[in-house]
Amino acid sequence: MRPDTASAIRAQLIASLQQRAATLDGEARRMLDARLADLRPVDADAPDEELDAAPEPHRPGPLRQLADRLTHDAPTDRTAYPELPALADFRQLWSTLRADSQLQQTVAHTPTDAGPLNSAALASRAIALMRDTSPGYLRAFLAYADDLAWLEQLGTAGTATPMTAPKKRAARKPRR
């Protein structure tokens, strides 16, 4: 690299670091100032015109302005949005219907001739008792089980084994 190209790149680097340091505070600003201090002694023999020709810090672009405005205007907590009563009622109805549907599926798949320690029969009996004792707990439990099943499907989807091609049979030797 030619010396004039290297000094132009160094001057541009210093200008960029100065621009960035002007927009920052705290630890990030201190780190950039330290980096600028490290770069300047090397440039002590560089002409001052190159350092003076560095562009002035410019205004942020339109995308940065939009992001800053959205960040500034966004509520800091999620409770700032009003809770819709109709949505809460719908969620309650949906979870009740989902729990009843899953319970019916569980009972339908329970073997009738199962022994007392059959896991399917025990799970079906436990879910029926949960429905009678605490329907709210049953809904929470079924939502948890749904989430676990979804995570299991997600995990097995990435580790699916490719189908193996059928093996060719070794050619038989003809009989004599």
Side-chain angles (χ1 to χ4, degrees):
M1 192 181 302
R2 295 183 317 192
D4 58 335
T5 305
S7 62
I9 291 172
R10 185 178 306 277
Q12 184 62 37
L13 174 65
I14 291 173
S16 296
L17 289 176
Q18 286 173 339
Q19 275 183 321
R20 181 168 281 175
T23 62
L24 297 174
D25 294 329
E27 183 66 19
R29 173 68 182 253
R30 189 190 61 74
M31 290 176 65
L32 282 176
D33 287 340
R35 175 80 171 125
L36 282 168
D38 289 344
L39 286 173
R40 287 181 191 236
V42 175
D43 279 345
D45 58 343
D48 288 336
E49 300 91 34
E50 289 180 11
L51 293 176
D52 293 338
E56 292 183 25
H58 63 282
R59 287 182 4 157
L63 187 59
R64 170 53 63 192
Q65 289 175 354
L66 177 63
D68 290 344
R69 191 175 80 216
L70 289 175
T71 303
H72 181 307
D73 295 344
T76 57
D77 59 350
R78 298 197 47 88
T79 60
Y81 294 108
E83 185 66 30
L84 301 174
L87 187 58
D89 293 341
F90 178 74
R91 284 182 183 150
Q92 177 69 28
L93 178 64
W94 179 254
S95 66
T96 303
L97 289 174
R98 177 80 174 143
D100 288 343
S101 169
Q102 286 180 323
L103 182 64
Q104 288 173 359
Q105 287 177 357
T106 302
V107 171
H109 292 298
T110 303
T112 55
D113 58 345
L117 297 179
N118 183 292
S119 62
L122 289 173
S124 175
R125 202 172 325 145
I127 289 175
L129 286 172
M130 271 190 253
R131 181 189 61 187
D132 296 338
T133 307
S134 177
Y137 182 78
L138 174 64
R139 283 192 296 275
F141 177 76
L142 291 176
Y144 178 71
D146 276 346
D147 292 344
L148 288 177
W150 179 78
L151 286 173
E152 182 181 16
Q153 288 175 353
L154 186 66
T156 58
T159 60
T161 58
M163 301 259 318
T164 58
K167 295 180 180 178
K168 291 185 179 181
R169 289 187 182 181
R172 283 184 144 180
K173 291 184 181 179
R175 289 183 123 179
R176 291 188 187 182

